[in-house]
PDB file of all heavy atoms in Angstrom:
ATOM      1  N   GLU A   6       7.237   7.177 -63.779  1.00  0.00           N
ATOM      2  CA  GLU A   6       7.488   5.893 -63.580  1.00  0.00           C
ATOM      3  C   GLU A   6       8.182   5.270 -64.957  1.00  0.00           C
ATOM      4  O   GLU A   6       9.124   4.409 -64.942  1.00  0.00           O
ATOM      5  CB  GLU A   6       6.265   5.070 -63.411  1.00  0.00           C
ATOM      6  CG  GLU A   6       6.326   3.571 -63.269  1.00  0.00           C
ATOM      7  CD  GLU A   6       4.985   2.965 -62.795  1.00  0.00           C
ATOM      8  OE1 GLU A   6       4.129   3.601 -62.266  1.00  0.00           O
ATOM      9  OE2 GLU A   6       4.898   1.714 -62.952  1.00  0.00           O
ATOM     10  N   GLN A   7       7.700   5.704 -66.078  1.00  0.00           N
ATOM     11  CA  GLN A   7       8.259   5.283 -67.432  1.00  0.00           C
ATOM     12  C   GLN A   7       9.672   5.773 -67.605  1.00  0.00           C
ATOM     13  O   GLN A   7      10.521   5.094 -68.018  1.00  0.00           O
ATOM     14  CB  GLN A   7       7.381   5.888 -68.511  1.00  0.00           C
ATOM     15  CG  GLN A   7       6.051   5.125 -68.709  1.00  0.00           C
ATOM     16  CD  GLN A   7       5.107   5.764 -69.689  1.00  0.00           C
ATOM     17  OE1 GLN A   7       5.640   6.701 -70.363  1.00  0.00           O
ATOM     18  NE2 GLN A   7       3.876   5.275 -69.820  1.00  0.00           N
ATOM     19  N   ALA A   8       9.887   7.072 -67.176  1.00  0.00           N
ATOM     20  CA  ALA A   8      11.258   7.632 -67.214  1.00  0.00           C
ATOM     21  C   ALA A   8      12.240   6.851 -66.381  1.00  0.00           C
ATOM     22  O   ALA A   8      13.416   6.869 -66.689  1.00  0.00           O
ATOM     23  CB  ALA A   8      11.238   9.058 -66.993  1.00  0.00           C
ATOM     24  N   CYS A   9      11.744   6.309 -65.260  1.00  0.00           N
ATOM     25  CA  CYS A   9      12.679   5.679 -64.386  1.00  0.00           C
ATOM     26  C   CYS A   9      12.782   4.241 -64.658  1.00  0.00           C
ATOM     27  O   CYS A   9      13.351   3.448 -63.779  1.00  0.00           O
ATOM     28  CB  CYS A   9      12.153   5.816 -62.967  1.00  0.00           C
ATOM     29  SG  CYS A   9      12.399   7.377 -62.214  1.00  0.00           S
ATOM     30  N   GLU A  10      12.454   3.777 -65.838  1.00  0.00           N
ATOM     31  CA  GLU A  10      12.811   2.317 -66.214  1.00  0.00           C
ATOM     32  C   GLU A  10      14.064   1.892 -65.908  1.00  0.00           C
ATOM     33  O   GLU A  10      15.090   2.622 -66.284  1.00  0.00           O
ATOM     34  CB  GLU A  10      12.406   2.033 -67.722  1.00  0.00           C
ATOM     35  CG  GLU A  10      12.394   0.605 -68.046  1.00  0.00           C
ATOM     36  CD  GLU A  10      12.100   0.327 -69.506  1.00  0.00           C
ATOM     37  OE1 GLU A  10      11.466   1.215 -70.185  1.00  0.00           O
ATOM     38  OE2 GLU A  10      12.298  -0.695 -69.980  1.00  0.00           O
ATOM     39  N   GLY A  11      14.295   0.827 -65.137  1.00  0.00           N
ATOM     40  CA  GLY A  11      15.605   0.427 -64.655  1.00  0.00           C
ATOM     41  C   GLY A  11      16.247   1.113 -63.639  1.00  0.00           C
ATOM     42  O   GLY A  11      17.364   0.683 -63.132  1.00  0.00           O
ATOM     43  N   ILE A  12      15.447   2.091 -62.985  1.00  0.00           N
ATOM     44  CA  ILE A  12      16.058   2.785 -61.770  1.00  0.00           C
ATOM     45  C   ILE A  12      15.096   2.380 -60.565  1.00  0.00           C
ATOM     46  O   ILE A  12      13.774   2.480 -60.766  1.00  0.00           O
ATOM     47  CB  ILE A  12      16.040   4.267 -62.138  1.00  0.00           C
ATOM     48  CG1 ILE A  12      16.983   4.559 -63.252  1.00  0.00           C
ATOM     49  CG2 ILE A  12      16.402   5.112 -60.849  1.00  0.00           C
ATOM     50  CD1 ILE A  12      16.863   6.134 -63.672  1.00  0.00           C
ATOM     51  N   ASP A  13      15.678   2.142 -59.398  1.00  0.00           N
ATOM     52  CA  ASP A  13      14.761   2.173 -58.187  1.00  0.00           C
ATOM     53  C   ASP A  13      14.450   3.737 -57.928  1.00  0.00           C
ATOM     54  O   ASP A  13      15.241   4.516 -57.894  1.00  0.00           O
ATOM     55  CB  ASP A  13      15.513   1.520 -57.141  1.00  0.00           C
ATOM     56  CG  ASP A  13      14.774   1.235 -55.902  1.00  0.00           C
ATOM     57  OD1 ASP A  13      13.507   1.227 -55.993  1.00  0.00           O
ATOM     58  OD2 ASP A  13      15.384   0.910 -54.925  1.00  0.00           O
ATOM     59  N   PHE A  14      13.143   3.977 -57.579  1.00  0.00           N
ATOM     60  CA  PHE A  14      12.732   5.330 -57.333  1.00  0.00           C
ATOM     61  C   PHE A  14      11.608   5.285 -56.451  1.00  0.00           C
ATOM     62  O   PHE A  14      10.849   4.307 -56.199  1.00  0.00           O
ATOM     63  CB  PHE A  14      12.240   5.882 -58.771  1.00  0.00           C
ATOM     64  CG  PHE A  14      10.928   5.470 -59.254  1.00  0.00           C
ATOM     65  CD1 PHE A  14       9.827   6.083 -59.094  1.00  0.00           C
ATOM     66  CD2 PHE A  14      11.039   4.265 -59.989  1.00  0.00           C
ATOM     67  CE1 PHE A  14       8.710   5.697 -59.528  1.00  0.00           C
ATOM     68  CE2 PHE A  14       9.799   3.846 -60.624  1.00  0.00           C
ATOM     69  CZ  PHE A  14       8.739   4.452 -60.526  1.00  0.00           C
ATOM     70  N   GLU A  15      11.297   6.482 -55.816  1.00  0.00           N
ATOM     71  CA  GLU A  15      10.196   6.687 -54.891  1.00  0.00           C
ATOM     72  C   GLU A  15       9.676   8.122 -55.437  1.00  0.00           C
ATOM     73  O   GLU A  15      10.371   9.005 -55.363  1.00  0.00           O
ATOM     74  CB  GLU A  15      10.548   6.813 -53.510  1.00  0.00           C
ATOM     75  CG  GLU A  15       9.455   7.002 -52.617  1.00  0.00           C
ATOM     76  CD  GLU A  15       9.817   7.108 -51.107  1.00  0.00           C
ATOM     77  OE1 GLU A  15      10.919   6.818 -50.760  1.00  0.00           O
ATOM     78  OE2 GLU A  15       8.941   7.458 -50.231  1.00  0.00           O
ATOM     79  N   ILE A  16       8.280   8.248 -55.496  1.00  0.00           N
ATOM     80  CA  ILE A  16       7.633   9.545 -55.680  1.00  0.00           C
ATOM     81  C   ILE A  16       7.059   9.959 -54.333  1.00  0.00           C
ATOM     82  O   ILE A  16       6.344   9.155 -53.786  1.00  0.00           O
ATOM     83  CB  ILE A  16       6.649   9.462 -56.822  1.00  0.00           C
ATOM     84  CG1 ILE A  16       7.289   9.064 -58.083  1.00  0.00           C
ATOM     85  CG2 ILE A  16       5.877  10.807 -56.894  1.00  0.00           C
ATOM     86  CD1 ILE A  16       6.266   8.626 -59.170  1.00  0.00           C
ATOM     87  N   TYR A  17       7.210  11.196 -54.054  1.00  0.00           N
ATOM     88  CA  TYR A  17       6.602  11.644 -52.745  1.00  0.00           C
ATOM     89  C   TYR A  17       6.022  13.150 -52.986  1.00  0.00           C
ATOM     90  O   TYR A  17       6.647  13.851 -53.547  1.00  0.00           O
ATOM     91  CB  TYR A  17       7.779  11.823 -51.670  1.00  0.00           C
ATOM     92  CG  TYR A  17       7.376  12.264 -50.365  1.00  0.00           C
ATOM     93  CD1 TYR A  17       6.652  11.556 -49.331  1.00  0.00           C
ATOM     94  CD2 TYR A  17       7.628  13.678 -50.034  1.00  0.00           C
ATOM     95  CE1 TYR A  17       6.249  12.070 -48.246  1.00  0.00           C
ATOM     96  CE2 TYR A  17       7.246  14.110 -48.790  1.00  0.00           C
ATOM     97  CZ  TYR A  17       6.546  13.410 -47.894  1.00  0.00           C
ATOM     98  OH  TYR A  17       6.038  13.877 -46.699  1.00  0.00           O
ATOM     99  N   GLN A  18       4.829  13.358 -52.491  1.00  0.00           N
ATOM    100  CA  GLN A  18       4.254  14.561 -52.480  1.00  0.00           C
ATOM    101  C   GLN A  18       3.755  14.931 -51.193  1.00  0.00           C
ATOM    102  O   GLN A  18       3.172  14.278 -50.501  1.00  0.00           O
ATOM    103  CB  GLN A  18       3.037  14.675 -53.518  1.00  0.00           C
ATOM    104  CG  GLN A  18       2.491  15.903 -53.819  1.00  0.00           C
ATOM    105  CD  GLN A  18       1.395  16.387 -52.885  1.00  0.00           C
ATOM    106  OE1 GLN A  18       0.707  15.708 -52.229  1.00  0.00           O
ATOM    107  NE2 GLN A  18       1.485  17.811 -52.763  1.00  0.00           N
ATOM    108  N   SER A  19       3.948  16.291 -50.774  1.00  0.00           N
ATOM    109  CA  SER A  19       3.432  16.739 -49.508  1.00  0.00           C
ATOM    110  C   SER A  19       3.133  18.216 -49.684  1.00  0.00           C
ATOM    111  O   SER A  19       3.788  19.067 -50.445  1.00  0.00           O
ATOM    112  CB  SER A  19       4.427  16.607 -48.372  1.00  0.00           C
ATOM    113  OG  SER A  19       3.877  17.122 -47.093  1.00  0.00           O
ATOM    114  N   ASN A  20       1.973  18.593 -49.007  1.00  0.00           N
ATOM    115  CA  ASN A  20       1.713  20.079 -48.940  1.00  0.00           C
ATOM    116  C   ASN A  20       2.391  20.710 -47.595  1.00  0.00           C
ATOM    117  O   ASN A  20       2.237  21.913 -47.427  1.00  0.00           O
ATOM    118  CB  ASN A  20       0.295  20.241 -48.745  1.00  0.00           C
ATOM    119  CG  ASN A  20      -0.455  19.776 -50.136  1.00  0.00           C
ATOM    120  OD1 ASN A  20       0.042  20.064 -51.066  1.00  0.00           O
ATOM    121  ND2 ASN A  20      -1.486  19.045 -49.974  1.00  0.00           N
ATOM    122  N   HIS A  21       3.193  19.998 -46.852  1.00  0.00           N
ATOM    123  CA  HIS A  21       3.805  20.524 -45.675  1.00  0.00           C
ATOM    124  C   HIS A  21       5.286  20.559 -45.675  1.00  0.00           C
ATOM    125  O   HIS A  21       6.022  19.572 -45.845  1.00  0.00           O
ATOM    126  CB  HIS A  21       3.313  19.570 -44.448  1.00  0.00           C
ATOM    127  CG  HIS A  21       1.852  19.407 -44.449  1.00  0.00           C
ATOM    128  ND1 HIS A  21       1.001  20.334 -43.897  1.00  0.00           N
ATOM    129  CD2 HIS A  21       1.093  18.400 -44.913  1.00  0.00           C
ATOM    130  CE1 HIS A  21      -0.189  19.959 -44.027  1.00  0.00           C
ATOM    131  NE2 HIS A  21      -0.257  18.684 -44.683  1.00  0.00           N
ATOM    132  N   GLU A  22       5.837  21.679 -45.467  1.00  0.00           N
ATOM    133  CA  GLU A  22       7.129  22.007 -45.473  1.00  0.00           C
ATOM    134  C   GLU A  22       8.083  21.084 -44.613  1.00  0.00           C
ATOM    135  O   GLU A  22       9.032  20.578 -45.097  1.00  0.00           O
ATOM    136  CB  GLU A  22       7.534  23.433 -45.114  1.00  0.00           C
ATOM    137  CG  GLU A  22       8.959  23.774 -45.141  1.00  0.00           C
ATOM    138  CD  GLU A  22       9.179  25.277 -44.907  1.00  0.00           C
ATOM    139  OE1 GLU A  22       8.507  25.791 -43.987  1.00  0.00           O
ATOM    140  OE2 GLU A  22      10.084  25.904 -45.342  1.00  0.00           O
ATOM    141  N   GLY A  23       7.597  20.879 -43.438  1.00  0.00           N
ATOM    142  CA  GLY A  23       8.412  20.041 -42.443  1.00  0.00           C
ATOM    143  C   GLY A  23       8.345  18.608 -42.903  1.00  0.00           C
ATOM    144  O   GLY A  23       9.440  17.927 -42.717  1.00  0.00           O
ATOM    145  N   ALA A  24       7.310  18.029 -43.542  1.00  0.00           N
ATOM    146  CA  ALA A  24       7.278  16.688 -43.984  1.00  0.00           C
ATOM    147  C   ALA A  24       8.314  16.635 -45.239  1.00  0.00           C
ATOM    148  O   ALA A  24       8.891  15.517 -45.319  1.00  0.00           O
ATOM    149  CB  ALA A  24       5.842  16.353 -44.525  1.00  0.00           C
ATOM    150  N   ILE A  25       8.434  17.677 -46.059  1.00  0.00           N
ATOM    151  CA  ILE A  25       9.461  17.574 -47.088  1.00  0.00           C
ATOM    152  C   ILE A  25      10.758  17.557 -46.570  1.00  0.00           C
ATOM    153  O   ILE A  25      11.781  16.837 -46.981  1.00  0.00           O
ATOM    154  CB  ILE A  25       9.204  18.700 -48.097  1.00  0.00           C
ATOM    155  CG1 ILE A  25       7.872  18.449 -48.875  1.00  0.00           C
ATOM    156  CG2 ILE A  25      10.277  18.797 -49.181  1.00  0.00           C
ATOM    157  CD1 ILE A  25       7.374  19.717 -49.619  1.00  0.00           C
ATOM    158  N   VAL A  26      11.060  18.331 -45.431  1.00  0.00           N
ATOM    159  CA  VAL A  26      12.346  18.296 -44.910  1.00  0.00           C
ATOM    160  C   VAL A  26      12.643  17.015 -44.370  1.00  0.00           C
ATOM    161  O   VAL A  26      13.823  16.493 -44.536  1.00  0.00           O
ATOM    162  CB  VAL A  26      12.362  19.475 -43.850  1.00  0.00           C
ATOM    163  CG1 VAL A  26      13.682  19.299 -42.871  1.00  0.00           C
ATOM    164  CG2 VAL A  26      12.437  20.843 -44.357  1.00  0.00           C
ATOM    165  N   ASP A  27      11.728  16.365 -43.641  1.00  0.00           N
ATOM    166  CA  ASP A  27      11.936  15.029 -43.035  1.00  0.00           C
ATOM    167  C   ASP A  27      12.239  14.029 -44.085  1.00  0.00           C
ATOM    168  O   ASP A  27      13.136  13.120 -44.026  1.00  0.00           O
ATOM    169  CB  ASP A  27      10.742  14.604 -42.331  1.00  0.00           C
ATOM    170  CG  ASP A  27      10.450  15.359 -41.038  1.00  0.00           C
ATOM    171  OD1 ASP A  27      11.490  15.941 -40.502  1.00  0.00           O
ATOM    172  OD2 ASP A  27       9.257  15.268 -40.447  1.00  0.00           O
ATOM    173  N   LYS A  28      11.426  14.143 -45.316  1.00  0.00           N
ATOM    174  CA  LYS A  28      11.775  13.154 -46.358  1.00  0.00           C
ATOM    175  C   LYS A  28      13.177  13.304 -46.957  1.00  0.00           C
ATOM    176  O   LYS A  28      13.826  12.289 -47.293  1.00  0.00           O
ATOM    177  CB  LYS A  28      10.648  13.384 -47.497  1.00  0.00           C
ATOM    178  CG  LYS A  28      10.667  12.297 -48.459  1.00  0.00           C
ATOM    179  CD  LYS A  28      10.368  10.872 -47.849  1.00  0.00           C
ATOM    180  CE  LYS A  28       9.996   9.912 -48.836  1.00  0.00           C
ATOM    181  NZ  LYS A  28       9.691   8.636 -48.245  1.00  0.00           N
ATOM    182  N   ILE A  29      13.667  14.599 -47.149  1.00  0.00           N
ATOM    183  CA  ILE A  29      14.948  14.679 -47.654  1.00  0.00           C
ATOM    184  C   ILE A  29      15.907  14.269 -46.678  1.00  0.00           C
ATOM    185  O   ILE A  29      16.859  13.542 -46.998  1.00  0.00           O
ATOM    186  CB  ILE A  29      15.194  16.401 -47.858  1.00  0.00           C
ATOM    187  CG1 ILE A  29      14.392  16.755 -48.953  1.00  0.00           C
ATOM    188  CG2 ILE A  29      16.714  16.575 -48.079  1.00  0.00           C
ATOM    189  CD1 ILE A  29      14.223  18.366 -49.078  1.00  0.00           C
ATOM    190  N   GLN A  30      15.664  14.496 -45.394  1.00  0.00           N
ATOM    191  CA  GLN A  30      16.641  14.035 -44.397  1.00  0.00           C
ATOM    192  C   GLN A  30      16.811  12.447 -44.362  1.00  0.00           C
ATOM    193  O   GLN A  30      17.797  11.828 -44.170  1.00  0.00           O
ATOM    194  CB  GLN A  30      16.354  14.419 -42.936  1.00  0.00           C
ATOM    195  CG  GLN A  30      16.596  16.016 -42.845  1.00  0.00           C
ATOM    196  CD  GLN A  30      16.179  16.420 -41.415  1.00  0.00           C
ATOM    197  OE1 GLN A  30      15.736  15.664 -40.589  1.00  0.00           O
ATOM    198  NE2 GLN A  30      16.473  17.804 -41.157  1.00  0.00           N
ATOM    199  N   SER A  31      15.524  11.844 -44.613  1.00  0.00           N
ATOM    200  CA  SER A  31      15.504  10.336 -44.634  1.00  0.00           C
ATOM    201  C   SER A  31      16.163   9.761 -45.803  1.00  0.00           C
ATOM    202  O   SER A  31      16.520   8.563 -45.964  1.00  0.00           O
ATOM    203  CB  SER A  31      14.089   9.858 -44.410  1.00  0.00           C
ATOM    204  OG  SER A  31      13.437  10.047 -45.745  1.00  0.00           O
ATOM    205  N   ALA A  32      16.394  10.668 -46.804  1.00  0.00           N
ATOM    206  CA  ALA A  32      17.114  10.115 -48.033  1.00  0.00           C
ATOM    207  C   ALA A  32      18.630   9.882 -47.794  1.00  0.00           C
ATOM    208  O   ALA A  32      19.296   9.200 -48.568  1.00  0.00           O
ATOM    209  CB  ALA A  32      16.860  11.159 -49.102  1.00  0.00           C
ATOM    210  N   LEU A  33      19.237  10.382 -46.835  1.00  0.00           N
ATOM    211  CA  LEU A  33      20.602  10.301 -46.543  1.00  0.00           C
ATOM    212  C   LEU A  33      21.039   8.877 -46.436  1.00  0.00           C
ATOM    213  O   LEU A  33      20.408   8.184 -45.576  1.00  0.00           O
ATOM    214  CB  LEU A  33      21.034  11.058 -45.254  1.00  0.00           C
ATOM    215  CG  LEU A  33      22.442  11.055 -44.849  1.00  0.00           C
ATOM    216  CD1 LEU A  33      23.288  11.749 -45.885  1.00  0.00           C
ATOM    217  CD2 LEU A  33      22.664  11.767 -43.581  1.00  0.00           C
ATOM    218  N   GLY A  34      21.959   8.522 -47.336  1.00  0.00           N
ATOM    219  CA  GLY A  34      22.441   7.106 -47.358  1.00  0.00           C
ATOM    220  C   GLY A  34      21.483   6.029 -47.977  1.00  0.00           C
ATOM    221  O   GLY A  34      21.770   4.914 -48.058  1.00  0.00           O
ATOM    222  N   ASN A  35      20.286   6.576 -48.463  1.00  0.00           N
ATOM    223  CA  ASN A  35      19.352   5.713 -49.084  1.00  0.00           C
ATOM    224  C   ASN A  35      19.097   6.029 -50.495  1.00  0.00           C
ATOM    225  O   ASN A  35      18.411   5.134 -51.246  1.00  0.00           O
ATOM    226  CB  ASN A  35      17.986   5.834 -48.227  1.00  0.00           C
ATOM    227  CG  ASN A  35      18.124   5.285 -46.779  1.00  0.00           C
ATOM    228  OD1 ASN A  35      18.643   4.282 -46.672  1.00  0.00           O
ATOM    229  ND2 ASN A  35      17.842   6.125 -45.879  1.00  0.00           N
ATOM    230  N   VAL A  36      19.430   7.174 -51.050  1.00  0.00           N
ATOM    231  CA  VAL A  36      19.188   7.493 -52.451  1.00  0.00           C
ATOM    232  C   VAL A  36      20.462   8.090 -53.048  1.00  0.00           C
ATOM    233  O   VAL A  36      21.319   8.700 -52.437  1.00  0.00           O
ATOM    234  CB  VAL A  36      17.985   8.378 -52.696  1.00  0.00           C
ATOM    235  CG1 VAL A  36      16.708   7.785 -52.086  1.00  0.00           C
ATOM    236  CG2 VAL A  36      18.140   9.772 -52.179  1.00  0.00           C
ATOM    237  N   ASP A  37      20.511   7.935 -54.370  1.00  0.00           N
ATOM    238  CA  ASP A  37      21.676   8.510 -55.000  1.00  0.00           C
ATOM    239  C   ASP A  37      21.454   9.867 -55.631  1.00  0.00           C
ATOM    240  O   ASP A  37      22.411  10.595 -55.902  1.00  0.00           O
ATOM    241  CB  ASP A  37      22.064   7.572 -56.169  1.00  0.00           C
ATOM    242  CG  ASP A  37      22.444   6.259 -55.683  1.00  0.00           C
ATOM    243  OD1 ASP A  37      23.388   6.087 -54.825  1.00  0.00           O
ATOM    244  OD2 ASP A  37      21.712   5.313 -56.032  1.00  0.00           O
ATOM    245  N   GLY A  38      20.138  10.241 -55.931  1.00  0.00           N
ATOM    246  CA  GLY A  38      19.827  11.496 -56.405  1.00  0.00           C
ATOM    247  C   GLY A  38      18.420  11.978 -56.057  1.00  0.00           C
ATOM    248  O   GLY A  38      17.638  11.046 -55.802  1.00  0.00           O
ATOM    249  N   ILE A  39      18.184  13.240 -56.134  1.00  0.00           N
ATOM    250  CA  ILE A  39      16.885  13.793 -55.809  1.00  0.00           C
ATOM    251  C   ILE A  39      16.415  14.612 -57.048  1.00  0.00           C
ATOM    252  O   ILE A  39      17.184  15.469 -57.502  1.00  0.00           O
ATOM    253  CB  ILE A  39      16.925  14.629 -54.467  1.00  0.00           C
ATOM    254  CG1 ILE A  39      17.230  13.693 -53.289  1.00  0.00           C
ATOM    255  CG2 ILE A  39      15.638  15.355 -54.274  1.00  0.00           C
ATOM    256  CD1 ILE A  39      17.406  14.517 -51.982  1.00  0.00           C
ATOM    257  N   VAL A  40      15.134  14.458 -57.419  1.00  0.00           N
ATOM    258  CA  VAL A  40      14.448  15.463 -58.273  1.00  0.00           C
ATOM    259  C   VAL A  40      13.437  16.063 -57.427  1.00  0.00           C
ATOM    260  O   VAL A  40      12.560  15.400 -56.823  1.00  0.00           O
ATOM    261  CB  VAL A  40      13.831  14.644 -59.379  1.00  0.00           C
ATOM    262  CG1 VAL A  40      12.959  15.697 -60.274  1.00  0.00           C
ATOM    263  CG2 VAL A  40      14.870  13.970 -60.351  1.00  0.00           C
ATOM    264  N   ILE A  41      13.442  17.375 -57.371  1.00  0.00           N
ATOM    265  CA  ILE A  41      12.539  18.071 -56.476  1.00  0.00           C
ATOM    266  C   ILE A  41      11.804  19.302 -57.280  1.00  0.00           C
ATOM    267  O   ILE A  41      12.523  20.098 -57.951  1.00  0.00           O
ATOM    268  CB  ILE A  41      13.062  18.654 -55.182  1.00  0.00           C
ATOM    269  CG1 ILE A  41      12.072  19.205 -54.211  1.00  0.00           C
ATOM    270  CG2 ILE A  41      14.344  19.601 -55.435  1.00  0.00           C
ATOM    271  CD1 ILE A  41      12.652  19.452 -52.861  1.00  0.00           C
ATOM    272  N   ASN A  42      10.520  19.215 -57.094  1.00  0.00           N
ATOM    273  CA  ASN A  42       9.721  20.417 -57.579  1.00  0.00           C
ATOM    274  C   ASN A  42       9.235  20.936 -56.197  1.00  0.00           C
ATOM    275  O   ASN A  42       8.070  20.549 -55.755  1.00  0.00           O
ATOM    276  CB  ASN A  42       8.636  20.101 -58.500  1.00  0.00           C
ATOM    277  CG  ASN A  42       7.759  21.371 -58.802  1.00  0.00           C
ATOM    278  OD1 ASN A  42       7.861  22.364 -58.248  1.00  0.00           O
ATOM    279  ND2 ASN A  42       7.063  21.228 -59.985  1.00  0.00           N
ATOM    280  N   PRO A  43       9.865  21.967 -55.576  1.00  0.00           N
ATOM    281  CA  PRO A  43       9.317  22.474 -54.331  1.00  0.00           C
ATOM    282  C   PRO A  43       8.102  23.284 -54.329  1.00  0.00           C
ATOM    283  O   PRO A  43       7.589  23.746 -53.399  1.00  0.00           O
ATOM    284  CB  PRO A  43      10.636  23.240 -53.769  1.00  0.00           C
ATOM    285  CG  PRO A  43      11.483  23.496 -54.946  1.00  0.00           C
ATOM    286  CD  PRO A  43      11.065  22.468 -55.936  1.00  0.00           C
ATOM    287  N   ALA A  44       7.626  23.650 -55.569  1.00  0.00           N
ATOM    288  CA  ALA A  44       6.500  24.435 -55.776  1.00  0.00           C
ATOM    289  C   ALA A  44       6.577  25.734 -55.067  1.00  0.00           C
ATOM    290  O   ALA A  44       7.591  26.354 -55.171  1.00  0.00           O
ATOM    291  CB  ALA A  44       5.198  23.573 -55.391  1.00  0.00           C
ATOM    292  N   ALA A  45       5.650  26.050 -54.300  1.00  0.00           N
ATOM    293  CA  ALA A  45       5.608  27.508 -53.636  1.00  0.00           C
ATOM    294  C   ALA A  45       6.812  27.469 -52.695  1.00  0.00           C
ATOM    295  O   ALA A  45       7.232  28.756 -52.457  1.00  0.00           O
ATOM    296  CB  ALA A  45       4.238  27.692 -52.904  1.00  0.00           C
ATOM    297  N   TYR A  46       7.294  26.440 -52.039  1.00  0.00           N
ATOM    298  CA  TYR A  46       8.316  26.472 -51.290  1.00  0.00           C
ATOM    299  C   TYR A  46       9.674  26.847 -51.865  1.00  0.00           C
ATOM    300  O   TYR A  46      10.651  27.228 -51.279  1.00  0.00           O
ATOM    301  CB  TYR A  46       8.584  25.191 -50.431  1.00  0.00           C
ATOM    302  CG  TYR A  46       7.398  24.918 -49.410  1.00  0.00           C
ATOM    303  CD1 TYR A  46       6.792  23.656 -49.471  1.00  0.00           C
ATOM    304  CD2 TYR A  46       6.873  25.795 -48.624  1.00  0.00           C
ATOM    305  CE1 TYR A  46       5.686  23.437 -48.486  1.00  0.00           C
ATOM    306  CE2 TYR A  46       5.833  25.657 -47.718  1.00  0.00           C
ATOM    307  CZ  TYR A  46       5.322  24.454 -47.641  1.00  0.00           C
ATOM    308  OH  TYR A  46       4.306  24.160 -46.872  1.00  0.00           O
TER     309      TYR A  46
END
């Protein structure tokens, strides 16, 4: 949140691969950049 000062952002966490895929797909046309830590995936 501090690093994103002046930037619109959303933080999302999931333990489910399909939910992460859905979130990435929903970003199309809605975000300019993605930061991802896919962890074990």
